[in-house]
Structure formats: structure tokens, C-alpha cells
Amino acid sequence: MKKYLLTAALMMGAMAFTACSDDEPNTNPGGDDDAQPALVSVEQIIDGCMDIANEVGNAKIGDPLDLWNNGEQVKALYAVESWYSWHSREDYSNNILSIRNAFYGTRNGSMATNSIASLLKGNNAELFQSVDDAISNAYQAILNIPAPFRNNINTPQVTVAVNACNDLEETLKSMKAYLQRTDAVNSDEVLQPILITYVNDVVLPTYKELKEKNTALYEAAKAFTTAPSDENFQLCCNAWLEARTPWETSEAFLFGPVDALGLDPNMDSWPLDQEAIVNILNSGEFDNMVWGDGDDDETIEAKQGVRGFHTMEFLIFKDGKARTVSGGTSTDAANLDYTAANAQSWGNYMVQVGKLLQQDATELYNAWTVSYEGGSAYKDLFLSHDIESDEEE
């Protein structure tokens, strides 16, 4: 299941890299222990960027490629995320844009004055260009894969994209090391304005849009259930694509509430348990999607595998297009059709998934802006660099 244990990975990533280059002195010999407080939060930003660069290259793209090369072509096809909608390349390239946005301190491709990019450009222009080029190269390499990715897993462009994402991760590691060892750029005075811009201009607007777009997706699902039609299926697909963008452009900051509260796998678990989805459709037992604090990991993962973006994608897309109300008669789990016999349960399932997506996105936004686990808003904890609780879990 997708990143259910991300917190531990982030903790290890934050602690693992304190190396210095041969040609510059280490002005922070103690590593993270001696870091300026604001640097702790900046390192969290960079770690999030490194994590998603690694995931896109080695899991989202690399896993299907490895399966294909090992002769497991069927498994390779099913390993491709977002293949029902044929939206894989767009998802993965938007993940790279999430890195760009964190780096630039904006969501529109411009460079904020108070951003990691501007700081790096003014103090180490060569390293800035390396990071900027690596982001652009990874983004373009993904879009150079012939569409849909599911039908082109073994093309040369796929290997290029994997390598470009790995290069991006290594370049981000170099940037993190430079910030750690260079006193001129890692003080609170220098970094705090960057953190404020990052939170106010990148994180919060992205999560606000996610909440709004997931609400619109929920409303589209309800409208379809009230009046099933090909047009309303298409409107659901449009709403899914709209909601998907802010989610994918948030994946460079999968830390804090989205991780600790299980909201990432709630919304974005992959691969799906298609047989379990069909069982829910047949039984109408929609409580099988909701987990509680007393549930063990296996139970939680099973429930997360039948909800979220990809379950909605399965319900509204087929072969890259919107489903139709007279789509066919297949009862195979992987190619199930919407029929008169399952229409009511199908529509109800769409509404339940949409409702949970709307609730999860709202909880995430509120955790950053109102209160996190009964205390201060997470934005306040992040801006005061009080994020040790995440690292200790």
C-alpha cells in the first residue's frame, strides 16, 4: 500500500545525509543536531521533494518497467498507477511540478523572492542551475513517454525518465548538503521568510484547492446517482481530473497531517483490490471503507484499498474514457461494466467514495489551518520548527 510508513522513511532521510564536498569546508560539523531551527523545516521540505522524486522514478515508473523486463508483463500492466483513466504521465509529471513549486515558492512557475530557488541562485548559481535543470529534465522526460504509459512500458523513453528522476533526487541531496554546511544561507533570518512563503503560497493554496475540487467531485457523484447518464459520467470524469491535479502537486509535501493521520493512503492507495471493490458493489456494505484507531495495519490497508481517488477512477473511467450507462456486460473484476443490475449500488459506491475524499481533504486542510491533533494548526508548528513529533513516531 502506498506510503503507509512514510514517517519512518522521512525520519531516516532527514538523518542520513550530512556529507560534505571535498572542496568546501563543513561549517556545520554536527549535522542536523547543530542546525539552525529554521533549517529543520527547510530540510523537511527538501526531504519531501527527494522522496517523491525517488518514488516517481523507482516505484511509479520503475516498478512496472522492472516487472516487464522480468517477463511479468501482466503484473507490469496492473502496476501502472492511474491506468483506468490513462492519466499516468500527467500524474507523474505533476509530482515533479510539486517539487518545482516547493523549490520556487509559487504554484505558477515563477520564482518567489523568498524561496529556496532564489536563495540558491543568489549564493550558488551553479548549484541552482543544476537543480533547476534536473527538475525540468525529469518533468519533460516523463511527458516524452508515449501515451498511455500502460501501453508503452518497455519503450526507451521510460528508462530515460527513471534516470532523470534519480538524477533529480541526487541533485536535491546536493542542495540539502550545501544548505546544511553553509552558514551564510542556513540562518533563521534567511530561511524563515522562505518558510512563510512556502506555507502561505504553496501548501495552503494547494490543500484549499484540493478540498474544493474534492467537494466538486462529491457533488458530481451525487448528481450522477440522481440522474445516471453518459453526460453525468463524463462530468464525474472531468471532476476527477480537476481534483487529481492539486493532489499530485502536493506530493512533495507528504509530511505532517497527511502522513500521520493516514490521509495519503486514504486518498491515494495503489494498487487497488479490484475483487474487494466488486464484493462491495455486490453487497452494498460500504462501511468496509472506514477504519478506526483500533484496527491493525492489515485491516486499515484493506479498507484503504477500496476507497480514494483510484477507486473512484475505477468506477468512472474505462480504457481512458468515461464509462457509459450501457457500457457492456463484463463481470470480470478488472473489466467490470456498469449495468442495470448493479446501477444503484454503483452510484451509491461513487457517492460514498466521493464523500470520503471530501472529508479527507477537508480534514487535511483544517489540520494545517485550524488545529492538528487537538493543538495548534500544523502551519504554526511547521513555521516554529516544532515538527519533532513527526520524526519520533
Side-chain angles (χ1 to χ4, degrees), residues 95-238:
N95 289 160
I96 303 303
L97 291 185
S98 74
I99 298 173
R100 182 206 68 183
N101 294 351
F103 185 53
Y104 280 5
T106 68
R107 301 174 68 216
N108 62 10
S110 64
M111 190 186 308
T113 300
N114 293 317
S115 65
I116 299 174
S118 290
L119 177 65
L120 202 61
K121 188 174 184 179
N123 289 273
N124 189 331
E126 182 178 357
L127 183 54
F128 161 80
Q129 197 61 57
S130 294
V131 175
D132 205 46
D133 288 346
I135 292 171
S136 297
N137 291 342
Y139 176 79
Q140 191 58 55
I142 291 167
L143 292 181
N144 285 344
I145 298 171
F149 172 46
R150 187 174 188 265
N151 294 351
N152 295 280
I153 295 172
N154 64 332
T155 57
Q157 293 92 332
V158 173
T159 299
V160 172
V162 170
N163 292 336
C165 290
N166 289 336
D167 289 345
L168 173 56
E169 182 187 9
E170 291 302 313
T171 306
L172 291 168
K173 286 181 182 179
S174 298
M175 180 179 73
K176 179 181 175 182
Y178 169 75
L179 293 177
Q180 287 176 326
R181 68 175 179 258
T182 309
D183 286 344
V185 297
N186 68 20
S187 68
D188 281 4
E189 181 181 7
V190 170
L191 296 181
Q192 191 65 20
I194 292 174
L195 295 177
I196 293 170
T197 295
Y198 170 77
V199 168
N200 290 337
D201 295 350
V202 178
V203 177
L204 298 187
T206 301
Y207 283 154
K208 182 175 184 289
E209 184 182 4
L210 180 67
K211 180 185 72 169
E212 293 168 347
K213 298 298 186 181
N214 275 5
T215 298
L217 177 57
Y218 176 38
E219 294 298 326
K222 290 195 294 183
F224 174 85
T225 303
T226 301
S229 67
D230 292 351
E231 180 182 5
N232 282 340
F233 252 142
Q234 183 63 61
L235 290 175
C236 287
C237 291
N238 295 345

Side-chain angles (χ1 to χ4, degrees), residues 80-108:
V80 174
E81 188 179 11
S82 299
W83 68 261
Y84 306 111
S85 60
W86 290 4
H87 201 252
S88 307
R89 300 182 319 147
E90 290 76 11
D91 276 5
Y92 309 159
S93 60
N94 277 334
N95 289 160
I96 303 303
L97 291 185
S98 74
I99 298 173
R100 182 206 68 183
N101 294 351
F103 185 53
Y104 280 5
T106 68
R107 301 174 68 216
N108 62 10

Side-chain angles (χ1 to χ4, degrees), residues 277-292:
I277 289 173
V278 173
N279 289 338
I280 290 175
L281 278 168
N282 291 335
S283 68
E285 295 178 357
F286 300 115
D287 58 345
N288 287 337
M289 297 185 289
V290 180
W291 55 273

